[in-house]
Amino acid sequence: MLEKLILQDSSLQYATMPPLPQPKNRANISPSDFQLPQDTIVVSADNHLSVSEDIWYKSFPERLRDRAPRVWFDQGTYHIGFDGKTMFPEAMVRGFAAHDPMPGTSKIAPRMLDMDADGIDKELVFPNGMLAMLSYKDLEIREWIYKVYNEYLVELAAQAPDRFYGVPLLPHFWDSTRVAASVAEIKAQGFKTIMLPQKPGFTPDGQPINYQDDNMTAMWEAIEDSGIPVCFHIGEGFVSGRGGFGTGALVQLSPFRQIFGQLVFGGVFDRHPKLKVAFIEAGINWVAGTLQDADMVCNAQRDFIDHKINHPARWYWENHCYASFMIDPLGLRLLDLIGPDRVMWSADYPHMEGSNGFSKHSMKAVVDAAQNDDDARKILGGTAIELFNLQ
C-alpha cells in the first residue's frame, strides 16, 4: 500500500501517505526505472547516529570517570544517562526505539549497506541521543562529553572514508579564552563543519549566552578564520503534557527564526563576512516566510533597529545561509524565492519522518521540482559538497 501511494504521488506529501512503517520495519521500495541527472553525487546533508558503546566511561579522565554519562540498551533503544537514569523523555525513548534496533543506526558496515540501497553516496551525520546532552549544566563534564564524542566520530569516519562525515560539537564555545583552540582542534581532526546548539545556555559566570553578543566574538572569529561552516540542528527541548509529543514536533520544525535574526540584526554576518551557516532538518518552507517578515522589519521598523545592518535581510540569506529538507513539497514549490543553490536534500536516516527505504522517490520529487538538471544536482549533493568541502 505504501509503495502504491508513493508511486502515485511523486510530490510525496505526508498528508496523502498511509502511516509510515517504523524504520526498523520498513522495506526498501526504490524504483527501478528512475535515473538521476548524469554526474549527480547524492549527499544526505542530515543523517543521524546513535551511540551504542559506553564511550564516555571508557575515555573520561580517571578523576572524572564516576561522573561520566553511561550508555546502555533498554526498551528498544540506546540510552545515555547517569546513575541508571536516562536523559531521554519518554516520547524520545519511543521515537528512538522505532529505529535503534537497526544495525546501521550505530554501526558503519550495515549503515553503508542501507545507504547503498537508497542510492546515497555521502552523508553528514548528526547526533541522536547526544542532542539531550548539548546543554548539560556542568561545564567541565560537558567539555569532556563533547571531546569524547568528537573522537568517536573520527574513529567511525575512518571505517568509511569519503562517505561518513560526522558533525562534531564545539567544546568551550561558552569560554572565549579557550574556544579558538577547540576550533583549531576540530579542524585538525578533519571535520568539515561544526554544530552549535540552538539553546546555548550560560557562560561560566552564569550569564545567558546570546550568539550576537560581544563575548561570542572570539568564537565567531575562530570559526570564520577556520573556513568551516556552522550547523544548527533541531531537536533541543520538549513539550510536556497531553499532546506534548505532537506539539513538540510541530514547534521543532520552526525553530530558526530567532538564530537567523540574531545573526542578521545582531550584526554577526556584518562583522564576519566569510561566515557560512546551515539550518538543518527544519525543512525549507520556513525560509520564504522568514525572509518576507525580515524584509518587513528592515523597511517598516527600521527606526527601531538598534544595529544598522549593511544590507537588506534577504541579502544575508543569499550570501551566508543554507537549509536542509527531507520531504518538503511546499518548500520545493517556493524554490525560486528561497534559491535552489541555498537548499540541500537529506534522507534524515534513520528517523521516522525520513526517507529511508524510499529515498529515490524523494530524489525524484526534487528532480521534478527543479527547473533544470544543474539545479537538481546542486540540491541533491552539489551544494553540500561545495559548502562542506566533501571533495
Side-chain angles (χ1 to χ4, degrees):
M1 185 65 174
L2 175 64
E3 180 174 9
K4 182 178 179 181
L5 286 182
I6 287 178
L7 290 172
Q8 287 176 346
D9 181 13
S10 64
S11 68
L12 292 185
Q13 300 206 37
Y14 286 113
T16 65
M17 292 183 185
L20 288 170
Q22 292 187 3
K24 64 184 180 182
N25 300 322
R26 194 179 296 174
N28 194 289
I29 57 170
S30 296
S32 58
D33 57 345
F34 170 61
Q35 296 294 322
L36 289 167
Q38 187 175 1
D39 299 326
T40 300
I41 299 175
V42 176
V43 179
S44 176
D46 175 38
N47 282 354
H48 290 269
L49 173 77
S50 292
V51 176
S52 62
E53 301 177 46
D54 205 10
I55 58 173
W56 291 285
Y57 188 75
K58 293 189 298 184
S59 300
F60 259 44
E62 186 173 354
R63 65 182 179 83
L64 298 175
R65 194 161 293 156
D66 62 344
R67 295 161 59 193
R70 303 300 300 266
V71 179
W72 69 93
F73 191 84
D74 186 34
Q75 297 177 282
T77 188
Y78 294 103
H79 293 260
I80 302 174
F82 300 85
D83 300 322
K85 295 183 64 176
T86 184
M87 292 289 291
F88 305 161
E90 182 182 350
M92 199 174 185
V93 172
R94 293 198 307 270
F96 289 168
H99 54 63
D100 269 1
M102 298 165 54
T105 300
S106 57
K107 300 292 188 291
I108 293 298
R111 185 183 190 91
M112 294 303 105
L113 294 177
D114 289 344
M115 285 179 58
D116 291 341
D118 261 5
I120 300 171
D121 299 303
K122 302 173 186 284
E123 59 172 348
L124 265 74
V125 183
F126 291 84
N128 268 334
M130 263 294 295
L131 291 171
M133 307 296 291
L134 290 186
S135 297
Y136 192 69
K137 291 183 179 180
D138 186 320
L139 294 181
E140 183 179 27
I141 298 302
R142 190 202 298 180
E143 170 192 344
W144 281 98
I145 289 172
Y146 283 22
K147 286 172 65 71
V148 171
Y149 180 72
N150 292 350
E151 292 165 359
Y152 183 60
L153 291 179
V154 172
E155 295 174 8
L156 295 179
Q159 300 177 42
D162 302 322
R163 298 198 71 186
F164 178 101
Y165 293 93
V167 177
L169 309 171
L170 180 57
H172 310 122
F173 73 82
W174 54 86
D175 186 343
S176 62
T177 66
R178 303 176 69 188
V179 67
S182 290
V183 172
E185 181 178 25
I186 281 174
K187 185 166 185 178
Q189 289 172 307
F191 288 113
K192 303 297 186 178
T193 184
I194 290 172
M195 179 179 167
L196 293 176
Q198 293 177 58
K199 300 177 180 181
F202 299 87
T203 63
D205 60 359
Q207 298 301 308
I209 294 174
N210 294 302
Y211 284 122
Q212 74 275 30
D213 288 352
D214 288 343
N215 60 2
M216 302 307 291
T217 297
M219 182 193 77
W220 291 124
E221 286 180 345
I223 292 173
E224 183 182 29
D225 290 345
S226 76
I228 298 174
V230 167
C231 288
F232 292 97
H233 193 288
I234 70 169
E236 299 171 48
F238 302 93
V239 176
S240 60
R242 180 180 294 175
F245 183 85
T247 303
L250 195 61
V251 171
Q252 285 293 330
L253 292 173
S254 185
F256 291 134
R257 281 187 171 220
Q258 178 173 333
I259 293 174
F260 179 75
Q262 289 174 319
L263 298 177
V264 171
F265 295 114
V268 175
F269 287 139
D270 282 340
R271 295 189 294 273
H272 306 283
K274 294 185 289 185
L275 185 65
K276 302 293 184 183
V277 174
F279 300 101
I280 304 297
E281 205 182 314
I284 57 175
N285 65 76
W286 66 274
V287 175
T290 298
L291 295 181
Q292 174 178 275
D293 291 345
D295 286 341
M296 179 276 293
V297 172
C298 286
N299 293 325
Q301 300 179 349
R302 61 184 179 275
D303 292 340
F304 308 110
I305 299 174
D306 56 0
H307 171 77
K308 303 303 180 183
I309 58 179
N310 295 338
H311 305 279
R314 186 175 297 266
W315 185 93
Y316 296 99
W317 171 261
E318 294 171 348
N319 289 272
H320 290 273
C321 299
Y322 303 80
S324 77
F325 69 99
M326 300 90 73
I327 298 169
D328 193 344
L330 177 58
L332 290 175
R333 292 180 188 179
L334 299 172
L335 271 179
D336 59 330
L337 299 176
I338 301 167
D341 61 334
R342 300 286 104 189
V343 302
M344 301 176 290
W345 176 85
S346 68
D348 195 27
Y349 175 94
H351 285 175
M352 186 73 191
E353 69 279 8
S355 63
N356 179 43
F358 58 94
S359 289
K360 289 183 181 177
H361 292 285
S362 180
M363 296 175 203
K364 184 178 185 301
V366 172
V367 174
D368 291 346
Q371 291 190 355
N372 51 61
D373 285 355
D374 189 45
D375 283 351
R377 279 189 289 266
K378 290 177 182 178
I379 295 168
L380 291 172
T383 295
I385 289 171
E386 180 179 0
L387 174 63
F388 299 111
N389 191 26
L390 306 183
Q391 309 295 341

